[in-house]
Amino acid sequence: MKRIKFMLLAIAMLLAAPAFLTSCQEDAPEINYTMNVSVINDFTKVVEAINNGSLKNEQAIAKLTEAIDKMNADQQTKLQAIIDVLNSVNATLETKLAAIEAAMKAQTLTLESKLALLETAIKNQTIKQEEMAQKLITAINNLSGSMEAKIEAITAAINNVNTTLETKLALIEAAIKAQTLSLEAKLDLLEQAIKALPDYSAQLEAIKTAIANLPDYGDKLSAIEAAIKAMPDYSDKFDAVVAALNAMKTQVEALGTGQTAIATKIGEVTAAINSLIASVNSGNTSAAEALAQIIQKLEELKAAIGSGGDSTPDFTNTVTLDGVTMPIIDAGIDEDEFNEGNYDIVLFVAKDKGVKIMAGKEPHDGKTIDLTKKEPEHDDWYWSVECYNPTLIFDTYGEPGTPYPVFMSGTLSVKSLDSEDGKPVFEIVLEDGKVKGEGEYGDGKEHTISLNFKGSMRFDDY
């Protein structure tokens, strides 16, 4: 079945949270499709079409991306053609921004070329330095080749002596946020990056970036471990682990009282590590022995808070949409459907923004769902994922023969656990999601999404 649309309960919700997205979207313009076909393989004509307003927004970016990839030229020639657009006094800002976004998505441009383009865009003030990381997320998500090839390309860029410190830090941030890199790849990259960064200050900034953008507490602690192992100086290792745990504790406390047990445990471990460091400074413990004990304490902390501390908090994790991570502030499930063995779930990040997930107990509970495929026909509920901001961003559905889109990449796991105080408890994980819904099924834009939730849900009627 498909279904009652997402009805957010604004009256019942008193909480407020940051918006999913801050950008506005324009209405789709009238397009001369004959003209579009004629310019699709001609970069210069596509640029002209954007300049004169014939192509706009996502359509302009898509045409430019295709034109770049079909350009019969070497890297330098392609790069120069795009740089010429950025330096042109005749090109509108819209055209320049579309050219940058298209270059980030192009499959035939190397990461090195994309970095050079972004640095040019910053120098001529087309974009700001703080926008580089977001652009690089798109670049990394669209890199071709294996996971190993992607990591090799990013690591090479970070190690390049011509890469500025600002660009290196932006690359690290983008890699941590990228949906197409596995956790193992991100941790490996962070370790390599720490070795390449010039000083403790830059290394600590990279560690804090990883902590801020990895959604799972265990992953954050793994990032701290990987980073301090890569640091050559014991004093820096000790300072970094304390600073990183303090930053993590601050982040956890900001999520609210439901995280108190976790924040307390982090504080206890930090105090124990400070005692170890004091013992090293007094000559009673060797630095190597202390480091081994610190790593062990991080592992113990990881095990302790992997289930949310002494008791499972209502909202343990987050939704990450297009690289922006937000805490889940409320979660609900339809009681009547739950009693029938169907899961109609809403995870809120604000009173009118969130993710709706539908699944069936029999076909889906505890299993990994491939979101890129429609399901074989069956008599139970099919999977569905919708996202609202507060209007529809995308609406996907796994029933065969329906016009709803599916994901380009991504998996979903929905697992029902024992109840807590009469409320059903769920584990929900959506990983590596990339999706685009058009027309009545979305805003026509490509989005990346992941979420990680473990906690109880209030009953409601959706």
Side-chain angles (χ1 to χ4, degrees), residues 55-358:
L55 290 171
K56 289 182 179 291
N57 303 330
E58 292 299 312
Q59 213 164 22
I61 294 169
K63 298 299 184 185
L64 270 177
T65 303
E66 192 166 2
I68 292 169
D69 281 334
K70 291 187 175 181
M71 201 184 294
N72 186 19
D74 58 23
Q75 283 289 305
Q76 187 55 45
T77 303
K78 289 189 177 192
L79 179 60
Q80 190 58 53
I82 305 167
I83 289 176
D84 287 345
V85 174
L86 302 188
N87 291 330
S88 172
V89 296
N90 296 318
T92 65
L93 178 60
E94 182 183 11
T95 302
K96 294 178 181 181
L97 294 176
I100 294 169
E101 192 69 15
M104 295 305 104
K105 292 185 175 182
Q107 297 288 306
T108 57
L109 282 179
T110 65
L111 182 60
E112 182 182 11
S113 295
K114 294 179 181 185
L115 282 172
L117 181 66
L118 288 175
E119 289 176 345
T120 299
I122 291 169
K123 288 176 183 177
N124 68 17
Q125 299 184 330
T126 304
I127 63 171
K128 299 177 181 179
Q129 178 68 49
E130 52 266 32
E131 296 178 79
M132 178 179 272
Q134 192 62 41
K135 301 296 182 188
L136 284 172
I137 293 172
T138 302
I140 292 171
N141 281 336
N142 286 277
L143 282 177
S144 58
S146 64
M147 188 77 70
E148 291 75 15
K150 292 180 182 182
I151 294 300
E152 185 177 342
I154 301 168
T155 302
I158 293 173
N159 283 311
N160 192 318
V161 295
N162 295 318
T163 304
T164 66
L165 176 59
E166 292 80 5
T167 300
K168 290 180 180 182
L169 292 173
L171 270 167
I172 295 166
E173 180 181 348
I176 294 296
K177 291 180 176 179
Q179 298 291 320
T180 56
L181 297 182
S182 66
L183 174 63
E184 182 181 4
K186 292 177 181 182
L187 295 179
D188 180 53
L189 180 65
L190 178 63
E191 186 173 348
Q192 298 302 316
I194 292 295
K195 296 175 182 177
L197 292 172
D199 54 37
Y200 171 77
S201 177
Q203 292 169 337
L204 183 58
E205 186 171 344
I207 297 169
K208 288 182 176 180
T209 294
I211 292 171
N213 292 291
L214 288 169
D216 183 81
Y217 294 135
D219 296 348
K220 295 175 192 287
L221 293 168
S222 294
I224 296 173
E225 288 182 32
I228 64 173
K229 287 177 182 177
M231 300 176 82
D233 182 81
Y234 276 111
S235 178
D236 286 350
K237 291 176 190 284
F238 296 152
D239 288 346
V241 72
V242 172
L245 286 173
N246 283 334
M248 183 174 169
K249 183 171 179 286
T250 299
Q251 184 187 29
V252 171
E253 288 172 337
L255 297 178
T257 57
Q259 310 297 301
T260 301
I262 294 175
T264 299
K265 284 187 176 293
I266 295 172
E268 291 170 353
V269 170
T270 305
I273 289 174
N274 275 324
S275 295
L276 276 171
I277 295 171
S279 182
V280 172
N281 292 336
S282 65
N284 294 323
T285 305
S286 71
E289 181 182 348
L291 181 62
Q293 291 186 50
I294 288 171
I295 297 297
Q296 179 60 36
K297 289 186 179 301
L298 292 176
E299 286 295 324
E300 291 171 359
L301 178 60
K302 193 186 303 184
I305 68 176
S307 60
D310 292 330
S311 61
T312 303
D314 282 344
F315 316 111
T316 59
N317 288 299
T318 56
V319 174
T320 300
L321 179 71
D322 297 332
V324 179
T325 300
M326 295 146 290
I328 296 168
I329 63 170
D330 191 22
I333 186 169
D334 187 289
E335 183 173 13
D336 292 338
E337 293 295 350
F338 177 73
N339 292 332
E340 294 293 327
N342 301 315
Y343 305 149
D344 192 358
I345 294 167
V346 182
L347 304 176
F348 296 89
V349 297
K351 63 180 181 180
D352 57 354
K353 300 177 177 70
V355 180
K356 180 182 174 86
I357 294 170
M358 300 180 72

Side-chain angles (χ1 to χ4, degrees), residues 343 345 359 364-367 369 412-418 424-429 453-455 457:
Y343 305 149
I345 294 167
H364 303 128
D365 194 293
K367 301 174 184 177
I369 304 167
L412 173 67
S413 172
V414 180
K415 185 177 182 180
S416 177
L417 306 177
D418 291 336
V425 177
F426 276 81
E427 287 182 346
I428 304 174
V429 179
F453 173 85
K454 182 177 181 179
M457 297 183 176

